[in-house]
């Protein structure tokens, strides 16, 4: 199929590459020239395992190219909208500027029978509005909504082998059949392998994505709320998670207590959901998401408080090593990162913060140049009075507590992701403080 992908951020760049890998002829379009230049040269403009190799392979095959010109979308019959929907400045709602302008810019190049597929995460009701725009300005084109569930760090895998496909289709039977056939063809490999396909109306498809992220955020905040109770009672939240996780109805995944969730999706998506529900007069239905958000943000302060406890109440001029800046391992993304937030809060209290991360230093420095960044983990630890592990990179989980003991000024580690072998660290003479653990 000839496919265009509008927006080449995490979502779009991976989607375009994966579609080319699956045999389609793809053009990725973005207004950011630097991004397009990097992608055209086979370099992902962000860290995503496996993407560089796939990009190189796909561009070499001649099936994948990138462009800053929307005119290059003409000739494609399937157009994916994969632009960002960030949180608006000064509010909770999603900013739909990029979605609206992408559709407006695409309209002149659409032909009758073309299918436009929204992948961006949008407030429920957006697709219906955009379908009206297409009906008025590009008659004969069809809108579908096909939310994306990819996780950073597993983006390629999640795109090529998704656990489910969701198609939000128009009411009109012919248009619906055309859109479904186009999506089935685009995803022929996954469909052929028996991946479940859920077809629905626009509103349901939009809500599937919002509901999934709200559920995941709630699950994490639930276990973090249990961590708060564990801290008041001497219980161990990781044992608790193991025990309740054996109940298949609950499940152990996404029950890791720690410094909480961040990234470009969960925080802004739950906020946008509350804003949209309030617009719909149903604010109370998802009011609990405000509590989910509040629990999540409290865990960041909890980590800072634990550092202060270890320093006798003041961080001023005290040396603190912060290991991890990305919002999760295998990512260089620092958007709403709990790790970076902890580093910034400690710096704000006057600490000499020595921060490091295997991939995210450049992005962190661009946002917070006031922090002292070091590349090597060992350099971060030199002379540290407290060490905080805030992103559970494999490199940090595998650190040797015996060797490191000699480098730090004081062998105290705050394990803000409950990712260390606490017994091994204690045996090496460290004080280990976890979250929600005695
Ligand atoms: C998420 C959704 O998983 C994905 O389906 C959606 O498309 C986009 O948002 P992502 O933001 O890449 O993906 O990260 P995810 O792996 O979901 O982790 C989100 C955050 O939750 C991270 O900060 C992670 O550290 C945290 N987390 C996750 C926990 O604190 N505890 C857990 O048990 C799991």
């Amino acid at each position: 199929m000839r496919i265009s992908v509008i927006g080449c951020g995490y979502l779009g760049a991976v989607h375009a590459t994966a579609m080319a890998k699956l045999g389609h002829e793809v053009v990725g379009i973005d207004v950011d020239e630097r991004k397009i230049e990097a992608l055209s040269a086979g370099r992902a403009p962000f860290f995503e395992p496996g993407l560089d190799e796939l990009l190189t392979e796909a561009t070499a095959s001649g099936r994948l190219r990138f462009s800053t010109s929307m005119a290059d979308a003409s000739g494609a019959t399937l157009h994916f909208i994969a632009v960002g929907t960030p949180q608006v400045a000064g509010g909770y709602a999603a900013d739909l500027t990029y979605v609206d302008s992408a559709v407006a810019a695409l309209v002149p190049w659409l032909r009758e029978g073309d299918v436009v597929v929204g992948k961006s995460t949008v407030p429920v009701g957006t697709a219906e509005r955009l379908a009206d725009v297409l009906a008025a300005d590009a008659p004969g084109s069809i809108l579908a909504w096909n939310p994306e569930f990819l996780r950073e760090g597993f983006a390629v895998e999640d795109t090529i082998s998704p656990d489910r496909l969701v198609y939000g289709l128009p009411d009109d039977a012919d248009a619906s059949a055309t859109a479904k056939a186009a999506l089935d063809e685009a995803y022929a490999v996954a469909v052929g392998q028996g991946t479940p396909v859920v077809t629905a109306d626009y509103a349901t498809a939009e809500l599937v994505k919002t509901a999934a992220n709200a559920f995941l955020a709630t699950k994490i905040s639930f276990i973090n709320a249990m961590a708060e109770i564990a801290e008041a009672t001497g219980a161990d939240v990781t044992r608790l998670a193991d025990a309740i996780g054996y109940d298949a109805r609950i499940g152990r995944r996404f029950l890791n207590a720690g410094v909480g969730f961040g990234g470009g999706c969960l925080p802004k998506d739950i906020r946008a959901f509350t804003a949209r529900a309030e617009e719909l007069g149903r604010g109370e239905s998802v009011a609990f998401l405000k509590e989910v958000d509040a629990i999540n943000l409290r865990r960041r302060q909890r980590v800072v408080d634990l550092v202060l406890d270890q320093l006798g109440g003041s961080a001023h001029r005290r040396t603190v090593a912060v290991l991890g800046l990305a919002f999760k391992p295998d990512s260089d993304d620092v958007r709403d990162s709990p790790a970076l937030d902890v580093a910034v809060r400690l710096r704000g209290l006057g600490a000499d913060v020595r921060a490091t991360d295997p991939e995210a230093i450049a992005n962190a420095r661009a946002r917070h140049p006031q922090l002292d960044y070091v590349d090597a983990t060992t350099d971060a630890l030199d002379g540290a009075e407290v060490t905080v592990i805030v992103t559970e990179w494999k490199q940090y989980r595998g650190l040797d507590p015996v060797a490191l003991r000699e480098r730090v000024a004081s062998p105290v580690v705050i394990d803000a992701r409950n990712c260390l072998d606490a017994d091994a660290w204690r045996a090496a003479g460290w004080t280990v403080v976890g979250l929600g653990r005695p």
Side-chain angles (χ1 to χ4, degrees), residues 378-393:
T378 43
D379 290 343
L381 285 160
D382 270 335
E385 293 171 85
V386 176
T387 298
V388 194
I389 299 193
V390 241
T391 310
E392 70 278 32
W393 283 93

Side-chain angles (χ1 to χ4, degrees), residues 3 5 12 18 25 38 40 75-76 92 125 159 206 249 262 267 301 305 314 350 374 381 415:
I3 292 176
V5 178
E25 199 176 305
S40 302
Y92 268 16
T159 306
E206 292 167 314
R249 294 169 302 175
Q301 188 55 41
D305 290 342
S314 169
V374 292
L381 285 160
D415 180 7

